[in-house]
Amino acid sequence: HVQLVESGGGSVQAGGSLRLSCAASEVTYRRYYMAWFRQAPGEEREGVATISRDGSTTYRISVKGRFTISQDNAKNTLYLQMNSLKPEDTAMYYCAAGRGDLFSTLTLRVADYNYWGQGTQVTVS
């Protein structure tokens, strides 16, 4: 059973920081590659960051240098540390899981993901 539960969103001022967490079921974490996406009102969902199980990462250009994706294999949890937040980072942030090679897949395409969490809202003013 695929389970993804996001937490950590909130409202911050520009320049502030937030840390998002995505708790996955063990089955999910062991079988699927994972990533963070976001969707602002009226906009398409877009990939933010992904990490392979061996630690390789890929970021959206607009967040590179400000956001850091990480994972805790013991806790089956994905994280997104967001620093220097900007108003344009305001969106619903989603954790997603996809079928494929956990160690070589670094895609940020929405179509490559099969399962989604309920989302956590991030508002930057």
Tab-separated table of all heavy atoms in Angstrom, residues 33-67:
chain	number	residue	atom	x	y	z
A	33	TYR	N	10.859	5.466	-6.381
A	33	TYR	CA	11.662	6.683	-6.278
A	33	TYR	C	10.723	7.815	-5.886
A	33	TYR	O	9.512	7.758	-6.108
A	33	TYR	CB	12.416	6.990	-7.569
A	33	TYR	CG	11.596	7.052	-8.835
A	33	TYR	CD1	10.872	8.196	-9.165
A	33	TYR	CD2	11.553	5.977	-9.713
A	33	TYR	CE1	10.129	8.266	-10.330
A	33	TYR	CE2	10.822	6.038	-10.878
A	33	TYR	CZ	10.111	7.183	-11.178
A	33	TYR	OH	9.383	7.238	-12.341
A	34	MET	N	11.269	8.866	-5.281
A	34	MET	CA	10.427	9.917	-4.709
A	34	MET	C	10.936	11.304	-5.052
A	34	MET	O	12.115	11.487	-5.376
A	34	MET	CB	10.366	9.737	-3.183
A	34	MET	CG	9.674	8.437	-2.768
A	34	MET	SD	9.811	8.091	-1.005
A	34	MET	CE	8.877	9.477	-0.343
A	35	ALA	N	10.046	12.267	-4.954
A	35	ALA	CA	10.406	13.648	-5.296
A	35	ALA	C	9.428	14.608	-4.642
A	35	ALA	O	8.384	14.213	-4.136
A	35	ALA	CB	10.384	13.837	-6.806
A	36	TRP	N	9.796	15.879	-4.691
A	36	TRP	CA	8.921	16.959	-4.260
A	36	TRP	C	8.441	17.733	-5.490
A	36	TRP	O	9.239	18.053	-6.374
A	36	TRP	CB	9.659	17.921	-3.327
A	36	TRP	CG	9.879	17.382	-1.961
A	36	TRP	CD1	11.030	16.853	-1.464
A	36	TRP	CD2	8.924	17.328	-0.898
A	36	TRP	NE1	10.854	16.465	-0.161
A	36	TRP	CE2	9.567	16.753	0.210
A	36	TRP	CE3	7.593	17.724	-0.769
A	36	TRP	CZ2	8.925	16.547	1.430
A	36	TRP	CZ3	6.949	17.518	0.438
A	36	TRP	CH2	7.615	16.932	1.525
A	37	PHE	N	7.153	18.043	-5.509
A	37	PHE	CA	6.540	18.872	-6.528
A	37	PHE	C	5.809	20.017	-5.833
A	37	PHE	O	5.594	19.994	-4.629
A	37	PHE	CB	5.543	18.048	-7.350
A	37	PHE	CG	6.187	17.087	-8.302
A	37	PHE	CD1	6.717	15.885	-7.856
A	37	PHE	CD2	6.274	17.378	-9.654
A	37	PHE	CE1	7.328	15.000	-8.723
A	37	PHE	CE2	6.881	16.495	-10.539
A	37	PHE	CZ	7.402	15.307	-10.069
A	38	ARG	N	5.392	20.991	-6.623
A	38	ARG	CA	4.570	22.070	-6.082
A	38	ARG	C	3.608	22.545	-7.154
A	38	ARG	O	3.840	22.380	-8.346
A	38	ARG	CB	5.435	23.228	-5.584
A	38	ARG	CG	6.189	23.979	-6.671
A	38	ARG	CD	7.134	24.997	-6.036
A	38	ARG	NE	7.850	25.778	-7.043
A	38	ARG	CZ	8.809	26.644	-6.757
A	38	ARG	NH1	9.186	26.843	-5.495
A	38	ARG	NH2	9.404	27.313	-7.722
A	39	GLN	N	2.531	23.139	-6.675
A	39	GLN	CA	1.536	23.681	-7.591
A	39	GLN	C	0.925	24.937	-6.997
A	39	GLN	O	0.327	24.900	-5.921
A	39	GLN	CB	0.443	22.651	-7.875
A	39	GLN	CG	-0.541	23.081	-8.937
A	39	GLN	CD	-1.436	21.942	-9.386
A	39	GLN	OE1	-1.580	20.930	-8.718
A	39	GLN	NE2	-2.024	22.098	-10.559
A	40	ALA	N	1.091	26.036	-7.697
A	40	ALA	CA	0.501	27.304	-7.293
A	40	ALA	C	-0.879	27.428	-7.925
A	40	ALA	O	-1.142	26.800	-8.961
A	40	ALA	CB	1.395	28.456	-7.732
A	41	PRO	N	-1.777	28.216	-7.344
A	41	PRO	CA	-3.116	28.384	-7.907
A	41	PRO	C	-3.059	28.835	-9.354
A	41	PRO	O	-2.345	29.773	-9.697
A	41	PRO	CB	-3.737	29.456	-7.012
A	41	PRO	CG	-3.009	29.326	-5.721
A	41	PRO	CD	-1.605	28.962	-6.084
A	42	GLY	N	-3.785	28.126	-10.207
A	42	GLY	CA	-3.838	28.494	-11.607
A	42	GLY	C	-2.630	28.084	-12.423
A	42	GLY	O	-2.559	28.395	-13.619
A	43	GLU	N	-1.701	27.391	-11.777
A	43	GLU	CA	-0.476	26.973	-12.466
A	43	GLU	C	-0.414	25.452	-12.567
A	43	GLU	O	-1.112	24.740	-11.846
A	43	GLU	CB	0.764	27.487	-11.729
A	43	GLU	CG	0.832	28.985	-11.556
A	43	GLU	CD	1.070	29.707	-12.872
A	43	GLU	OE1	1.704	29.111	-13.763
A	43	GLU	OE2	0.610	30.871	-13.009
A	44	GLU	N	0.434	24.981	-13.460
A	44	GLU	CA	0.638	23.541	-13.567
A	44	GLU	C	1.553	23.051	-12.443
A	44	GLU	O	2.382	23.807	-11.921
A	44	GLU	CB	1.251	23.197	-14.925
A	44	GLU	CG	0.328	23.456	-16.091
A	44	GLU	CD	0.898	22.957	-17.410
A	44	GLU	OE1	2.064	22.542	-17.424
A	44	GLU	OE2	0.163	22.987	-18.403
A	45	ARG	N	1.392	21.799	-12.110
A	45	ARG	CA	2.274	21.200	-11.117
A	45	ARG	C	3.682	21.096	-11.705
A	45	ARG	O	3.854	20.744	-12.865
A	45	ARG	CB	1.754	19.820	-10.711
A	45	ARG	CG	2.426	19.227	-9.503
A	45	ARG	CD	1.671	18.030	-8.990
A	45	ARG	NE	0.324	18.410	-8.531
A	45	ARG	CZ	-0.497	17.586	-7.874
A	45	ARG	NH1	-0.112	16.348	-7.605
A	45	ARG	NH2	-1.689	17.999	-7.516
A	46	GLU	N	4.678	21.404	-10.877
A	46	GLU	CA	6.051	21.388	-11.369
A	46	GLU	C	6.971	20.669	-10.398
A	46	GLU	O	6.768	20.730	-9.173
A	46	GLU	CB	6.565	22.822	-11.590
A	46	GLU	CG	6.566	23.695	-10.352
A	46	GLU	CD	6.934	25.144	-10.652
A	46	GLU	OE1	6.733	25.591	-11.802
A	46	GLU	OE2	7.422	25.832	-9.726
A	47	GLY	N	7.975	20.029	-10.941
A	47	GLY	CA	8.937	19.327	-10.111
A	47	GLY	C	9.867	20.292	-9.411
A	47	GLY	O	10.298	21.281	-9.999
A	48	VAL	N	10.187	20.006	-8.168
A	48	VAL	CA	11.064	20.854	-7.374
A	48	VAL	C	12.414	20.191	-7.143
A	48	VAL	O	13.465	20.775	-7.402
A	48	VAL	CB	10.415	21.197	-6.014
A	48	VAL	CG1	11.379	21.992	-5.142
A	48	VAL	CG2	9.110	21.949	-6.221
A	49	ALA	N	12.387	18.974	-6.654
A	49	ALA	CA	13.643	18.276	-6.357
A	49	ALA	C	13.386	16.790	-6.219
A	49	ALA	O	12.306	16.366	-5.820
A	49	ALA	CB	14.267	18.813	-5.072
A	50	THR	N	14.409	16.023	-6.565
A	50	THR	CA	14.333	14.586	-6.386
A	50	THR	C	15.688	14.063	-5.947
A	50	THR	O	16.711	14.722	-6.157
A	50	THR	CB	13.865	13.876	-7.665
A	50	THR	OG1	13.667	12.481	-7.393
A	50	THR	CG2	14.885	14.008	-8.785
A	51	ILE	N	15.681	12.896	-5.341
A	51	ILE	CA	16.913	12.299	-4.838
A	51	ILE	C	16.852	10.800	-5.056
A	51	ILE	O	15.818	10.174	-4.820
A	51	ILE	CB	17.111	12.646	-3.340
A	51	ILE	CG1	18.434	12.103	-2.819
A	51	ILE	CG2	15.943	12.148	-2.486
A	51	ILE	CD1	18.813	12.641	-1.435
A	52	SER	N	17.955	10.226	-5.525
A	52	SER	CA	18.015	8.777	-5.684
A	52	SER	C	18.420	8.154	-4.351
A	52	SER	O	18.878	8.849	-3.434
A	52	SER	CB	19.017	8.405	-6.767
A	52	SER	OG	20.325	8.762	-6.370
A	53	ARG	N	18.261	6.868	-4.235
A	53	ARG	CA	18.574	6.214	-2.967
A	53	ARG	C	20.067	6.262	-2.633
A	53	ARG	O	20.445	6.159	-1.461
A	53	ARG	CB	18.098	4.763	-2.963
A	53	ARG	CG	16.615	4.607	-2.824
A	53	ARG	CD	16.090	5.159	-1.506
A	53	ARG	NE	14.632	5.046	-1.441
A	53	ARG	CZ	13.806	5.985	-1.889
A	53	ARG	NH1	14.275	7.097	-2.399
A	53	ARG	NH2	12.500	5.805	-1.823
A	54	ASP	N	20.907	6.466	-3.642
A	54	ASP	CA	22.330	6.591	-3.348
A	54	ASP	C	22.756	8.040	-3.165
A	54	ASP	O	23.937	8.325	-3.054
A	54	ASP	CB	23.176	5.918	-4.426
A	54	ASP	CG	23.002	6.569	-5.791
A	54	ASP	OD1	22.234	7.543	-5.903
A	54	ASP	OD2	23.620	6.090	-6.758
A	55	GLY	N	21.774	8.956	-3.138
A	55	GLY	CA	22.056	10.335	-2.760
A	55	GLY	C	22.237	11.336	-3.875
A	55	GLY	O	22.429	12.527	-3.610
A	56	SER	N	22.143	10.916	-5.116
A	56	SER	CA	22.215	11.877	-6.215
A	56	SER	C	20.951	12.728	-6.230
A	56	SER	O	19.870	12.242	-5.911
A	56	SER	CB	22.369	11.153	-7.546
A	56	SER	OG	23.562	10.409	-7.568
A	57	THR	N	21.111	14.005	-6.600
A	57	THR	CA	19.973	14.919	-6.549
A	57	THR	C	19.809	15.691	-7.845
A	57	THR	O	20.759	15.884	-8.609
A	57	THR	CB	20.130	15.932	-5.402
A	57	THR	OG1	21.363	16.650	-5.582
A	57	THR	CG2	20.150	15.244	-4.046
A	58	THR	N	18.597	16.150	-8.070
A	58	THR	CA	18.277	17.050	-9.173
A	58	THR	C	17.315	18.095	-8.659
A	58	THR	O	16.384	17.758	-7.921
A	58	THR	CB	17.637	16.274	-10.338
A	58	THR	OG1	18.598	15.363	-10.888
A	58	THR	CG2	17.186	17.225	-11.438
A	59	TYR	N	17.531	19.353	-9.045
A	59	TYR	CA	16.692	20.455	-8.591
A	59	TYR	C	16.159	21.262	-9.754
A	59	TYR	O	16.794	21.394	-10.800
A	59	TYR	CB	17.503	21.412	-7.700
A	59	TYR	CG	17.958	20.817	-6.398
A	59	TYR	CD1	19.204	20.206	-6.286
A	59	TYR	CD2	17.147	20.873	-5.269
A	59	TYR	CE1	19.625	19.656	-5.081
A	59	TYR	CE2	17.565	20.338	-4.056
A	59	TYR	CZ	18.803	19.729	-3.977
A	59	TYR	OH	19.219	19.200	-2.781
A	60	ARG	N	15.021	21.846	-9.499
A	60	ARG	CA	14.518	22.858	-10.403
A	60	ARG	C	15.483	24.039	-10.336
A	60	ARG	O	15.969	24.408	-9.258
A	60	ARG	CB	13.122	23.275	-9.938
A	60	ARG	CG	12.458	24.273	-10.801
A	60	ARG	CD	11.038	24.529	-10.371
A	60	ARG	NE	10.322	25.157	-11.462
A	60	ARG	CZ	9.838	24.497	-12.493
A	60	ARG	NH1	9.928	23.193	-12.530
A	60	ARG	NH2	9.216	25.123	-13.460
A	61	ILE	N	15.759	24.656	-11.470
A	61	ILE	CA	16.750	25.718	-11.514
A	61	ILE	C	16.415	26.848	-10.551
A	61	ILE	O	17.292	27.384	-9.868
A	61	ILE	CB	16.904	26.256	-12.950
A	61	ILE	CG1	17.564	25.194	-13.834
A	61	ILE	CG2	17.728	27.545	-12.960
A	61	ILE	CD1	17.658	25.585	-15.288
A	62	SER	N	15.156	27.181	-10.438
A	62	SER	CA	14.762	28.343	-9.630
A	62	SER	C	14.948	28.114	-8.127
A	62	SER	O	14.902	29.070	-7.352
A	62	SER	CB	13.315	28.718	-9.910
A	62	SER	OG	12.447	27.648	-9.569
A	63	VAL	N	15.148	26.853	-7.700
A	63	VAL	CA	15.320	26.589	-6.274
A	63	VAL	C	16.740	26.147	-5.937
A	63	VAL	O	17.096	26.027	-4.757
A	63	VAL	CB	14.317	25.536	-5.749
A	63	VAL	CG1	12.894	25.931	-6.128
A	63	VAL	CG2	14.655	24.137	-6.257
A	64	LYS	N	17.527	25.914	-6.958
A	64	LYS	CA	18.882	25.424	-6.735
A	64	LYS	C	19.682	26.430	-5.917
A	64	LYS	O	19.656	27.628	-6.190
A	64	LYS	CB	19.571	25.159	-8.074
A	64	LYS	CG	20.677	24.154	-8.012
A	64	LYS	CD	21.098	23.731	-9.407
A	64	LYS	CE	22.117	22.617	-9.345
A	64	LYS	NZ	22.536	22.154	-10.683
A	65	GLY	N	20.359	25.922	-4.890
A	65	GLY	CA	21.115	26.796	-4.008
A	65	GLY	C	20.311	27.294	-2.820
A	65	GLY	O	20.888	27.804	-1.852
A	66	ARG	N	19.008	27.150	-2.881
A	66	ARG	CA	18.145	27.579	-1.761
A	66	ARG	C	17.463	26.389	-1.091
A	66	ARG	O	17.261	26.408	0.124
A	66	ARG	CB	17.063	28.544	-2.265
A	66	ARG	CG	17.609	29.810	-2.895
A	66	ARG	CD	16.494	30.812	-3.188
A	66	ARG	NE	15.540	30.296	-4.173
A	66	ARG	CZ	14.234	30.157	-3.949
A	66	ARG	NH1	13.723	30.475	-2.786
A	66	ARG	NH2	13.434	29.705	-4.902
A	67	PHE	N	17.107	25.396	-1.865
A	67	PHE	CA	16.418	24.216	-1.336
A	67	PHE	C	17.391	23.038	-1.304
A	67	PHE	O	18.255	22.911	-2.180
A	67	PHE	CB	15.239	23.827	-2.218
A	67	PHE	CG	14.081	24.794	-2.190
A	67	PHE	CD1	14.166	26.026	-1.583
A	67	PHE	CD2	12.886	24.457	-2.805
A	67	PHE	CE1	13.103	26.912	-1.564
A	67	PHE	CE2	11.805	25.314	-2.803
A	67	PHE	CZ	11.915	26.556	-2.180
